[in-house]
Structure formats: C-alpha cells, structure tokens
Amino acid sequence: MTVSIKDVARAAGVAPSTVSRALGKGPVSAEVRTLVEAAVAATGYRPNLSARRLRSQAPTTVGLVLADIRNPFFTRLSFGVEDAAYRAGLRVFLCNTDEDPAREAMHLEMMAGERVSGLILAPTRQLQPEALKRLRMPVVLVDRDPEDAGCDAVTLDNEGAMRALVDHVVAGGRRRISGLFGANSFTGEARAAGFARAMARHGLPALVHRAPPNAAAGYAALADWLGHEQPEALIVSNGLFLEAAVRFCHDRGLSIPRDLALAGVDDDPWTGIVNPGLTVLRQPAEAMGREALSLLLARLDAPERPRRKLVLDSELVPRASTADRRGGA
C-alpha cells in the first residue's frame, strides 16, 4: 500500500505541512527534521516526483524520443544526452518509436502529460510541424530536421558525408557504384540525394535503392537486386545495412573488396575487426547528443532567442574493404 505524507506526519507526531517543509529543506528545527527523517525511514515513504515536478519551475526532466534504439548510432547518441543531462542535474525519459508514427504520437502525448521540461526528438518522416507546436514545450530535433519544423536542431552534414564516401570509392577505381538508403527516413533521403549529387559530379549514374532501415530489410533488398545489377562497389547509409551487406556477401561467397567494394556510415566497433575492415564514416553521435541537450538548456533559459541549427562533420575512416583495385594504397 502506498505510504502518504500523512502517514509520515502521524508517525512523526507532526502536521503534514511540517513534513513537507522538512523534506523540502524548509524552516524547521533540527529536532523536528530528525523526527521526520526517522518517520520516513520507518514508513518507507517515497516522495511523489511527478507532483514535485509540477510544482517546480526549474527544469528537472528531459524527454528523449528516438527512432530505433536497436541502432548503435542512437545508443551512442542517447549516451551523449544522458551524460550531459546527468552533469546538469537532470533526468532523462527515453522512448523508442521504431519509426512508427503511431508510437511517436503516443510517446509525444505521454511526454506532454509528464510535463517534461523539454524534448529531444529524432522524428519520423510523417511528423507534422503542427504536432510539435501543440506540445507547448521546447523541442530540439536530432539527426533529422524536417522542413518548416522551426525547432532548434543538431544534424550531420549528410551531403558532405556522401561526397567523402563517393570520392573515396571512385578514387579506388570503381565506377559502377550502387547505394542502399533508409526508406521513409529524413536521414536516408538526405543521404540518397547527397549520393546522387556526388556521383553526378564524377559523371556517373547513381544506382539508388531503398529499404526500411534495419538489417533484415537491408539483406532482403540486397538479395532482390544486387546479384543482377552487379555493381563494383556498394555504399550504404547506416551500420545496420553494413551488417546486412557483410552477411549477404558471406552467404553468397562474394569477396570484399575483390568482387564488391563496401563502405558506409557508422563506425560500429565490429567494423574495424572483421576481415577485411570496413571503410566507414564515423559519426559524432555522442557529441550530437550533448549538443542537443546544450541547445535545449539554452532554449529553456532564453525561449525567444533565434532558432539555432548545428551541422556536425563526420570523419572518413578508410579500410581494406575499399582497397584500390588497381593495386594502389
């Protein structure tokens, strides 16, 4: 049975208002504070944090709604948010949408009901800007920045990321290059567009394919077209697709990079220890999370300040999966 503040007051022999003052570091004598603390220990009372948040004007909690916590990128991003929040004395409520707009709507409604101080959100492609305005709280978008959202945002330079990968693969002597990108994803679409523009700069056709952004769907997509398209290289837009591509090549007896050069986004720990090591773009995921929390705190301090958008750079990590087919480095 839930222990109330009245139960604590009865055990301590004081009024409930006195218990509230003692627990809230209000003006009570040392003797009364000792009595109240002993009664709390004896009854097992736990304060109602939700009610305390409603009474408090200071930020205490942050909502974090991510697209797919199974994706290691979002795991690292959430660590960055939580670490920065801990240092700021804040707690984080984490929810996962699994790229499902219905789940996203449910979680956003829950965050509003919980009266979180602000929200960090990796939105689904179906989210409308009006839904963010109805939340009536500061929102920082992370990894994705829908047009006309009007919120502070932290994203990756997806154009530059794809240009770096395409330039690297082309420099290795490959011309027939296919790309696999997340379907129904702001990030996937941005990277597909960046891939197409980078290929056009080299006067090459962009063979663009899309699949839901998970390993199983990526594998199925590769099985559907990779065999008959026969590209010389494959560039993929996330670490889950990299996993799918390595597994597909293993299952089909394809040698990397002799039969197919492979590169993609996300330097997950395994990408550097497989044989051959995979060429990747290293995303600053933890930094992205910390910057998002910093933007949110700045918005809480100055609600009327101009919108800010931070665009972070990635780092090309070349490995043997894209070795120069002409025998160079």
Side-chain angles (χ1 to χ4, degrees), residues 8-9 11-14 18-26 28-45:
V8 176
V14 297
T18 302
V19 173
S20 295
R21 288 199 302 275
L23 296 179
K25 311 302 180 184
V28 298
S29 68
E31 179 183 2
V32 168
R33 194 179 304 279
T34 300
L35 284 173
V36 170
E37 290 173 351
V40 167
T43 59
Y45 171 74

mmCIF file of all heavy atoms in Angstrom, residues 8-9 11-14 18-26 28-45:
data_model
loop_
_atom_site.group_PDB
_atom_site.id
_atom_site.type_symbol
_atom_site.label_atom_id
_atom_site.label_comp_id
_atom_site.label_asym_id
_atom_site.label_seq_id
_atom_site.Cartn_x
_atom_site.Cartn_y
_atom_site.Cartn_z
ATOM 1 N N VAL A 8 3.469 9.667 7.247
ATOM 2 C CA VAL A 8 4.742 10.111 7.820
ATOM 3 C C VAL A 8 4.480 11.091 8.962
ATOM 4 O O VAL A 8 5.117 11.018 10.024
ATOM 5 C CB VAL A 8 5.625 10.753 6.743
ATOM 6 C CG1 VAL A 8 6.916 11.308 7.348
ATOM 7 C CG2 VAL A 8 5.956 9.750 5.642
ATOM 8 N N ALA A 9 3.549 12.032 8.746
ATOM 9 C CA ALA A 9 3.227 13.020 9.780
ATOM 10 C C ALA A 9 2.703 12.337 11.041
ATOM 11 O O ALA A 9 3.071 12.706 12.169
ATOM 12 C CB ALA A 9 2.191 14.010 9.232
ATOM 13 N N ALA A 11 3.357 9.268 12.025
ATOM 14 C CA ALA A 11 4.450 8.554 12.685
ATOM 15 C C ALA A 11 5.390 9.507 13.414
ATOM 16 O O ALA A 11 5.959 9.163 14.459
ATOM 17 C CB ALA A 11 5.220 7.736 11.659
ATOM 18 N N ALA A 12 5.561 10.717 12.862
ATOM 19 C CA ALA A 12 6.480 11.675 13.474
ATOM 20 C C ALA A 12 5.809 12.520 14.552
ATOM 21 O O ALA A 12 6.491 13.193 15.332
ATOM 22 C CB ALA A 12 7.053 12.593 12.402
ATOM 23 N N GLY A 13 4.456 12.501 14.574
ATOM 24 C CA GLY A 13 3.734 13.301 15.557
ATOM 25 C C GLY A 13 3.733 14.778 15.228
ATOM 26 O O GLY A 13 3.727 15.628 16.127
ATOM 27 N N VAL A 14 3.734 15.098 13.913
ATOM 28 C CA VAL A 14 3.713 16.496 13.488
ATOM 29 C C VAL A 14 2.649 16.650 12.401
ATOM 30 O O VAL A 14 2.061 15.663 11.936
ATOM 31 C CB VAL A 14 5.095 16.940 12.940
ATOM 32 C CG1 VAL A 14 6.151 16.851 14.040
ATOM 33 C CG2 VAL A 14 5.507 16.091 11.734
ATOM 34 N N THR A 18 4.315 20.328 8.143
ATOM 35 C CA THR A 18 5.658 20.316 8.744
ATOM 36 C C THR A 18 6.539 19.288 8.042
ATOM 37 O O THR A 18 7.727 19.527 7.794
ATOM 38 C CB THR A 18 5.568 19.997 10.244
ATOM 39 O OG1 THR A 18 4.738 20.966 10.880
ATOM 40 C CG2 THR A 18 6.947 20.011 10.894
ATOM 41 N N VAL A 19 5.943 18.131 7.699
ATOM 42 C CA VAL A 19 6.695 17.116 6.963
ATOM 43 C C VAL A 19 7.138 17.675 5.614
ATOM 44 O O VAL A 19 8.284 17.493 5.186
ATOM 45 C CB VAL A 19 5.851 15.843 6.773
ATOM 46 C CG1 VAL A 19 6.574 14.846 5.867
ATOM 47 C CG2 VAL A 19 5.542 15.207 8.116
ATOM 48 N N SER A 20 6.244 18.378 4.929
ATOM 49 C CA SER A 20 6.576 18.956 3.627
ATOM 50 C C SER A 20 7.727 19.933 3.742
ATOM 51 O O SER A 20 8.644 19.941 2.905
ATOM 52 C CB SER A 20 5.352 19.665 3.028
ATOM 53 O OG SER A 20 4.329 18.737 2.754
ATOM 54 N N ARG A 21 7.699 20.775 4.786
ATOM 55 C CA ARG A 21 8.791 21.733 4.958
ATOM 56 C C ARG A 21 10.105 21.016 5.253
ATOM 57 O O ARG A 21 11.158 21.391 4.729
ATOM 58 C CB ARG A 21 8.454 22.716 6.096
ATOM 59 C CG ARG A 21 7.374 23.720 5.756
ATOM 60 C CD ARG A 21 7.405 24.911 6.702
ATOM 61 N NE ARG A 21 7.255 24.506 8.096
ATOM 62 C CZ ARG A 21 6.085 24.306 8.708
ATOM 63 N NH1 ARG A 21 4.956 24.488 8.027
ATOM 64 N NH2 ARG A 21 6.031 23.940 9.965
ATOM 65 N N ALA A 22 10.042 19.988 6.079
ATOM 66 C CA ALA A 22 11.263 19.268 6.444
ATOM 67 C C ALA A 22 11.877 18.574 5.229
ATOM 68 O O ALA A 22 13.098 18.614 5.020
ATOM 69 C CB ALA A 22 10.970 18.247 7.541
ATOM 70 N N LEU A 23 11.021 17.958 4.405
ATOM 71 C CA LEU A 23 11.534 17.249 3.229
ATOM 72 C C LEU A 23 11.987 18.215 2.155
ATOM 73 O O LEU A 23 12.860 17.884 1.338
ATOM 74 C CB LEU A 23 10.462 16.306 2.673
ATOM 75 C CG LEU A 23 10.053 15.160 3.603
ATOM 76 C CD1 LEU A 23 8.971 14.311 2.946
ATOM 77 C CD2 LEU A 23 11.253 14.292 3.958
ATOM 78 N N GLY A 24 11.400 19.394 2.135
ATOM 79 C CA GLY A 24 11.778 20.389 1.138
ATOM 80 C C GLY A 24 12.837 21.351 1.623
ATOM 81 O O GLY A 24 13.041 22.399 1.028
ATOM 82 N N LYS A 25 13.529 20.983 2.701
ATOM 83 C CA LYS A 25 14.591 21.813 3.276
ATOM 84 C C LYS A 25 14.061 23.178 3.719
ATOM 85 O O LYS A 25 14.774 24.192 3.663
ATOM 86 C CB LYS A 25 15.743 22.006 2.271
ATOM 87 C CG LYS A 25 16.241 20.711 1.636
ATOM 88 C CD LYS A 25 16.713 19.723 2.676
ATOM 89 C CE LYS A 25 17.213 18.433 2.033
ATOM 90 N NZ LYS A 25 17.584 17.404 3.042
ATOM 91 N N GLY A 26 12.797 23.175 4.196
ATOM 92 C CA GLY A 26 12.196 24.411 4.672
ATOM 93 C C GLY A 26 12.575 24.706 6.113
ATOM 94 O O GLY A 26 13.347 23.972 6.749
ATOM 95 N N VAL A 28 12.417 24.355 9.626
ATOM 96 C CA VAL A 28 12.010 23.548 10.779
ATOM 97 C C VAL A 28 13.235 23.357 11.661
ATOM 98 O O VAL A 28 14.383 23.497 11.221
ATOM 99 C CB VAL A 28 11.450 22.170 10.362
ATOM 100 C CG1 VAL A 28 10.193 22.321 9.513
ATOM 101 C CG2 VAL A 28 12.492 21.362 9.616
ATOM 102 N N SER A 29 12.982 23.023 12.928
ATOM 103 C CA SER A 29 14.100 22.827 13.840
ATOM 104 C C SER A 29 14.827 21.520 13.530
ATOM 105 O O SER A 29 14.275 20.618 12.886
ATOM 106 C CB SER A 29 13.581 22.791 15.282
ATOM 107 O OG SER A 29 12.791 21.619 15.489
ATOM 108 N N ALA A 30 16.059 21.430 14.021
ATOM 109 C CA ALA A 30 16.839 20.216 13.815
ATOM 110 C C ALA A 30 16.153 19.014 14.458
ATOM 111 O O ALA A 30 16.193 17.895 13.921
ATOM 112 C CB ALA A 30 18.241 20.407 14.398
ATOM 113 N N GLU A 31 15.491 19.238 15.596
ATOM 114 C CA GLU A 31 14.809 18.132 16.282
ATOM 115 C C GLU A 31 13.650 17.605 15.438
ATOM 116 O O GLU A 31 13.484 16.386 15.273
ATOM 117 C CB GLU A 31 14.297 18.612 17.639
ATOM 118 C CG GLU A 31 13.550 17.532 18.418
ATOM 119 C CD GLU A 31 12.989 18.055 19.731
ATOM 120 O OE1 GLU A 31 13.140 19.260 20.015
ATOM 121 O OE2 GLU A 31 12.386 17.258 20.466
ATOM 122 N N VAL A 32 12.861 18.517 14.875
ATOM 123 C CA VAL A 32 11.729 18.095 14.041
ATOM 124 C C VAL A 32 12.229 17.395 12.777
ATOM 125 O O VAL A 32 11.679 16.380 12.345
ATOM 126 C CB VAL A 32 10.849 19.309 13.693
ATOM 127 C CG1 VAL A 32 9.842 18.942 12.601
ATOM 128 C CG2 VAL A 32 10.127 19.816 14.932
ATOM 129 N N ARG A 33 13.295 17.937 12.175
ATOM 130 C CA ARG A 33 13.828 17.315 10.957
ATOM 131 C C ARG A 33 14.280 15.885 11.239
ATOM 132 O O ARG A 33 14.052 14.980 10.433
ATOM 133 C CB ARG A 33 14.991 18.137 10.413
ATOM 134 C CG ARG A 33 15.374 17.754 8.966
ATOM 135 C CD ARG A 33 16.522 18.614 8.458
ATOM 136 N NE ARG A 33 16.243 20.035 8.535
ATOM 137 C CZ ARG A 33 15.521 20.715 7.657
ATOM 138 N NH1 ARG A 33 14.984 20.081 6.622
ATOM 139 N NH2 ARG A 33 15.334 22.007 7.801
ATOM 140 N N THR A 34 14.884 15.659 12.397
ATOM 141 C CA THR A 34 15.315 14.313 12.779
ATOM 142 C C THR A 34 14.119 13.391 12.946
ATOM 143 O O THR A 34 14.136 12.233 12.506
ATOM 144 C CB THR A 34 16.133 14.361 14.078
ATOM 145 O OG1 THR A 34 17.289 15.180 13.865
ATOM 146 C CG2 THR A 34 16.567 12.966 14.507
ATOM 147 N N LEU A 35 13.042 13.893 13.574
ATOM 148 C CA LEU A 35 11.826 13.096 13.743
ATOM 149 C C LEU A 35 11.226 12.699 12.391
ATOM 150 O O LEU A 35 10.820 11.550 12.184
ATOM 151 C CB LEU A 35 10.788 13.891 14.558
ATOM 152 C CG LEU A 35 11.005 14.008 16.061
ATOM 153 C CD1 LEU A 35 9.984 14.968 16.667
ATOM 154 C CD2 LEU A 35 10.890 12.629 16.718
ATOM 155 N N VAL A 36 11.182 13.667 11.484
ATOM 156 C CA VAL A 36 10.592 13.403 10.168
ATOM 157 C C VAL A 36 11.436 12.394 9.396
ATOM 158 O O VAL A 36 10.912 11.457 8.771
ATOM 159 C CB VAL A 36 10.443 14.713 9.372
ATOM 160 C CG1 VAL A 36 10.069 14.421 7.919
ATOM 161 C CG2 VAL A 36 9.382 15.601 10.022
ATOM 162 N N GLU A 37 12.748 12.561 9.444
ATOM 163 C CA GLU A 37 13.624 11.630 8.719
ATOM 164 C C GLU A 37 13.499 10.214 9.272
ATOM 165 O O GLU A 37 13.508 9.239 8.513
ATOM 166 C CB GLU A 37 15.069 12.113 8.802
ATOM 167 C CG GLU A 37 15.315 13.378 7.980
ATOM 168 C CD GLU A 37 16.703 13.951 8.193
ATOM 169 O OE1 GLU A 37 17.414 13.462 9.101
ATOM 170 O OE2 GLU A 37 17.090 14.884 7.453
ATOM 171 N N ALA A 38 13.343 10.096 10.585
ATOM 172 C CA ALA A 38 13.157 8.773 11.188
ATOM 173 C C ALA A 38 11.821 8.168 10.778
ATOM 174 O O ALA A 38 11.714 6.964 10.506
ATOM 175 C CB ALA A 38 13.253 8.882 12.708
ATOM 176 N N ALA A 39 10.779 9.016 10.672
ATOM 177 C CA ALA A 39 9.462 8.523 10.269
ATOM 178 C C ALA A 39 9.468 8.092 8.801
ATOM 179 O O ALA A 39 8.830 7.096 8.429
ATOM 180 C CB ALA A 39 8.409 9.610 10.502
ATOM 181 N N VAL A 40 10.185 8.821 7.963
ATOM 182 C CA VAL A 40 10.314 8.436 6.559
ATOM 183 C C VAL A 40 10.973 7.066 6.443
ATOM 184 O O VAL A 40 10.524 6.189 5.691
ATOM 185 C CB VAL A 40 11.132 9.495 5.782
ATOM 186 C CG1 VAL A 40 11.544 8.964 4.407
ATOM 187 C CG2 VAL A 40 10.329 10.779 5.623
ATOM 188 N N ALA A 41 12.047 6.858 7.207
ATOM 189 C CA ALA A 41 12.740 5.574 7.162
ATOM 190 C C ALA A 41 11.851 4.450 7.684
ATOM 191 O O ALA A 41 11.833 3.338 7.133
ATOM 192 C CB ALA A 41 14.037 5.657 7.972
ATOM 193 N N ALA A 42 11.079 4.733 8.737
ATOM 194 C CA ALA A 42 10.239 3.690 9.345
ATOM 195 C C ALA A 42 9.059 3.309 8.457
ATOM 196 O O ALA A 42 8.662 2.140 8.394
ATOM 197 C CB ALA A 42 9.741 4.162 10.711
ATOM 198 N N THR A 43 8.507 4.286 7.739
ATOM 199 C CA THR A 43 7.312 4.021 6.917
ATOM 200 C C THR A 43 7.644 3.610 5.487
ATOM 201 O O THR A 43 6.791 3.090 4.781
ATOM 202 C CB THR A 43 6.422 5.262 6.863
ATOM 203 O OG1 THR A 43 7.175 6.359 6.293
ATOM 204 C CG2 THR A 43 5.926 5.643 8.264
ATOM 205 N N GLY A 44 8.882 3.870 5.049
ATOM 206 C CA GLY A 44 9.242 3.573 3.662
ATOM 207 C C GLY A 44 8.661 4.569 2.678
ATOM 208 O O GLY A 44 8.484 4.255 1.494
ATOM 209 N N TYR A 45 8.393 5.782 3.137
ATOM 210 C CA TYR A 45 7.791 6.801 2.277
ATOM 211 C C TYR A 45 8.725 7.187 1.141
ATOM 212 O O TYR A 45 9.927 7.346 1.338
ATOM 213 C CB TYR A 45 7.456 8.044 3.116
ATOM 214 C CG TYR A 45 7.019 9.237 2.299
ATOM 215 C CD1 TYR A 45 5.757 9.275 1.718
ATOM 216 C CD2 TYR A 45 7.881 10.323 2.115
ATOM 217 C CE1 TYR A 45 5.351 10.371 0.967
ATOM 218 C CE2 TYR A 45 7.481 11.422 1.376
ATOM 219 C CZ TYR A 45 6.213 11.438 0.795
ATOM 220 O OH TYR A 45 5.820 12.526 0.052
#
